[in-house]
Structure formats: C-alpha cells, structure tokens
Coordinates of all heavy atoms in Angstrom, one line a residue:
E1 N 23.0 -3.4 -3.2 CA 22.4 -3.9 -4.4 C 21.6 -2.8 -5.1 O 21.7 -2.7 -6.3 CB 21.4 -5.1 -4.0 CG 22.1 -6.3 -3.5 CD 22.7 -7.1 -4.7 OE1 21.9 -7.7 -5.5 OE2 23.9 -7.2 -4.8
S2 N 20.9 -2.0 -4.4 CA 20.2 -0.9 -5.0 C 21.1 0.1 -5.6 O 20.8 0.6 -6.7 CB 19.3 -0.2 -3.9 OG 18.7 0.9 -4.4
M3 N 22.2 0.4 -5.0 CA 23.2 1.3 -5.6 C 23.8 0.8 -6.9 O 24.1 1.6 -7.8 CB 24.3 1.6 -4.6 CG 23.9 2.5 -3.4 SD 25.3 2.8 -2.3 CE 26.5 3.6 -3.4
E4 N 23.8 -0.5 -7.0 CA 24.4 -1.1 -8.2 C 23.3 -1.3 -9.3 O 23.6 -1.8 -10.4 CB 25.0 -2.5 -7.9 CG 26.2 -2.4 -7.1 CD 26.8 -3.7 -6.7 OE1 26.1 -4.8 -6.8 OE2 28.0 -3.8 -6.2
G5 N 22.1 -0.8 -9.1 CA 21.0 -0.8 -10.1 C 20.2 -2.1 -10.1 O 19.5 -2.4 -11.0
K6 N 20.4 -2.9 -9.0 CA 19.6 -4.2 -8.9 C 18.5 -4.0 -7.9 O 18.3 -3.0 -7.3 CB 20.6 -5.3 -8.4 CG 21.8 -5.4 -9.2 CD 22.8 -6.3 -8.5 CE 24.2 -6.3 -9.2 NZ 25.2 -7.0 -8.4
R7 N 17.7 -5.1 -7.8 CA 16.6 -5.1 -6.8 C 17.2 -5.0 -5.4 O 18.2 -5.7 -5.1 CB 15.7 -6.3 -6.9 CG 14.9 -6.4 -8.2 CD 13.9 -7.6 -8.1 NE 13.0 -7.5 -7.1 CZ 12.2 -8.5 -6.7 NH1 12.3 -9.7 -7.2 NH2 11.3 -8.3 -5.7
G8 N 16.6 -4.2 -4.6 CA 17.1 -4.0 -3.2 C 16.8 -5.2 -2.3 O 15.9 -5.1 -1.5
L9 N 17.6 -6.3 -2.5 CA 17.4 -7.5 -1.6 C 18.7 -7.8 -0.9 O 19.8 -7.6 -1.5 CB 16.9 -8.6 -2.5 CG 15.6 -8.5 -3.2 CD1 15.4 -9.7 -4.2 CD2 14.5 -8.4 -2.2
P10 N 18.6 -8.2 0.3 CA 19.8 -8.5 1.1 C 20.6 -9.6 0.4 O 20.1 -10.6 -0.2 CB 19.3 -9.0 2.4 CG 18.0 -8.3 2.6 CD 17.4 -8.3 1.2
R11 N 22.0 -9.5 0.5 CA 22.9 -10.5 0.0 C 23.1 -11.6 1.1 O 22.9 -11.3 2.3 CB 24.2 -9.9 -0.3 CG 24.2 -9.0 -1.5 CD 25.6 -8.4 -1.7 NE 25.6 -7.4 -2.8 CZ 26.7 -6.7 -3.2 NH1 27.8 -6.8 -2.5 NH2 26.6 -5.9 -4.2
V12 N 23.5 -12.8 0.7 CA 23.9 -13.8 1.6 C 25.3 -13.4 2.1 O 26.2 -13.1 1.3 CB 23.9 -15.2 0.9 CG1 24.5 -16.2 1.9 CG2 22.5 -15.6 0.5
K13 N 25.5 -13.5 3.4 CA 26.8 -13.2 4.0 C 27.3 -14.4 4.7 O 26.6 -15.1 5.4 CB 26.7 -12.0 5.0 CG 26.3 -10.7 4.4 CD 26.3 -9.5 5.3 CE 25.0 -9.5 6.2 NZ 24.9 -8.3 6.9
P14 N 28.7 -14.7 4.7 CA 29.7 -13.9 4.0 C 29.7 -14.1 2.5 O 29.0 -15.0 2.1 CB 31.0 -14.5 4.6 CG 30.7 -15.9 5.0 CD 29.2 -15.8 5.4
P15 N 30.4 -13.3 1.7 CA 31.3 -12.3 2.1 C 30.6 -11.0 2.7 O 29.5 -10.7 2.2 CB 32.1 -11.9 0.9 CG 31.2 -12.2 -0.2 CD 30.4 -13.4 0.2
F16 N 31.2 -10.4 3.6 CA 30.6 -9.1 4.2 C 31.1 -8.0 3.3 O 32.0 -8.0 2.6 CB 31.1 -9.0 5.6 CG 30.6 -10.0 6.6 CD1 31.2 -11.2 6.8 CD2 29.4 -9.7 7.2 CE1 30.7 -12.1 7.7 CE2 28.8 -10.7 8.1 CZ 29.5 -11.9 8.3
P17 N 30.4 -6.8 3.4 CA 30.7 -5.7 2.6 C 32.2 -5.2 2.8 O 32.8 -4.7 1.8 CB 29.8 -4.6 3.1 CG 28.6 -5.3 3.5 CD 29.1 -6.6 4.1
A18 N 32.7 -5.4 4.0 CA 34.1 -5.0 4.2 C 35.1 -5.8 3.3 O 36.2 -5.3 3.0 CB 34.5 -5.3 5.7
Q19 N 34.7 -7.0 2.9 CA 35.5 -7.8 2.0 C 35.1 -7.6 0.5 O 35.9 -7.4 -0.4 CB 35.5 -9.3 2.3 CG 36.2 -9.7 3.6 CD 35.4 -9.4 4.8 OE1 34.2 -9.7 4.9 NE2 36.0 -8.8 5.8
K20 N 33.8 -7.6 0.3 CA 33.3 -7.5 -1.1 C 31.9 -6.8 -1.0 O 30.9 -7.4 -0.8 CB 33.1 -8.9 -1.7 CG 32.8 -8.9 -3.2 CD 32.7 -10.4 -3.7 CE 32.4 -10.4 -5.2 NZ 32.3 -11.7 -5.7
G21 N 32.0 -5.5 -1.2 CA 30.8 -4.7 -1.1 C 30.4 -4.1 -2.4 O 30.1 -4.8 -3.4
F22 N 30.3 -2.7 -2.5 CA 29.9 -2.0 -3.7 C 30.9 -2.3 -4.8 O 32.1 -2.1 -4.7 CB 29.8 -0.5 -3.3 CG 29.3 0.4 -4.5 CD1 28.1 0.1 -5.1 CD2 30.1 1.5 -4.9 CE1 27.6 0.9 -6.1 CE2 29.6 2.3 -5.9 CZ 28.4 2.0 -6.5
R23 N 30.3 -2.7 -5.9 CA 31.1 -3.0 -7.1 C 32.2 -4.1 -6.8 O 33.3 -4.1 -7.5 CB 31.8 -1.8 -7.7 CG 30.7 -0.8 -8.3 CD 31.4 0.5 -8.7 NE 30.3 1.4 -9.2 CZ 30.5 2.8 -9.3 NH1 31.7 3.3 -8.9 NH2 29.6 3.5 -9.8
G24 N 31.9 -4.9 -5.8 CA 32.9 -6.0 -5.5 C 34.1 -5.6 -4.7 O 35.0 -6.4 -4.5
K25 N 34.1 -4.3 -4.3 CA 35.3 -3.8 -3.6 C 35.0 -3.6 -2.1 O 33.8 -3.5 -1.7 CB 35.7 -2.4 -4.1 CG 36.0 -2.4 -5.6 CD 37.3 -3.2 -5.9 CE 37.6 -3.1 -7.4 NZ 38.9 -3.8 -7.7
P26 N 36.1 -3.6 -1.2 CA 35.9 -3.4 0.2 C 35.1 -2.1 0.5 O 35.4 -1.0 0.0 CB 37.3 -3.3 0.8 CG 38.1 -4.0 -0.2 CD 37.5 -3.8 -1.6
T27 N 34.0 -2.2 1.3 CA 33.1 -1.1 1.5 C 32.7 -1.0 3.0 O 32.4 -2.1 3.6 CB 31.8 -1.3 0.6 OG1 32.2 -1.4 -0.7 CG2 30.8 -0.2 0.8
N28 N 32.7 0.2 3.5 CA 32.2 0.4 4.9 C 30.9 1.2 4.8 O 30.8 2.2 4.2 CB 33.2 1.2 5.7 CG 32.8 1.3 7.1 OD1 33.0 0.4 7.9 ND2 32.2 2.4 7.5
V29 N 29.9 0.6 5.5 CA 28.6 1.3 5.5 C 28.3 1.7 7.0 O 28.3 0.9 7.9 CB 27.4 0.4 5.0 CG1 26.1 1.2 5.0 CG2 27.8 -0.2 3.6
N30 N 28.0 3.0 7.2 CA 27.7 3.5 8.5 C 26.4 4.4 8.4 O 26.2 5.0 7.4 CB 28.8 4.3 9.1 CG 29.8 3.5 9.8 OD1 31.0 3.7 9.5 ND2 29.5 2.5 10.6

C-alpha cells in the first residue's frame, strides 16, 4: 500500500499478494 502511494495499512486477505499484490499484479515479498 505504501509503495502505491497510499497510507501504509494492512489489506484484508484474501486475495494474497501472490494473486493480487503491487499494482494488482502477482507479487512475491521476501
């Protein structure tokens, strides 16, 4: 969320970042 320029607040999951992450695309965070 912070990377997208929004307030850094957790999203409700699902969907998980692997399905819909940064800019709505599959994303892996490590």
Side-chain angles (χ1 to χ4, degrees):
E1 288 284 292
S2 174
M3 285 179 60
E4 292 178 345
K6 305 168 191 170
R7 289 185 67 190
L9 296 174
R11 294 177 179 176
V12 175
K13 295 185 282 191
F16 292 90
Q19 287 81 46
K20 190 177 180 182
F22 184 54
R23 296 172 178 160
K25 301 294 185 179
T27 303
N28 184 83
V29 184
N30 280 129

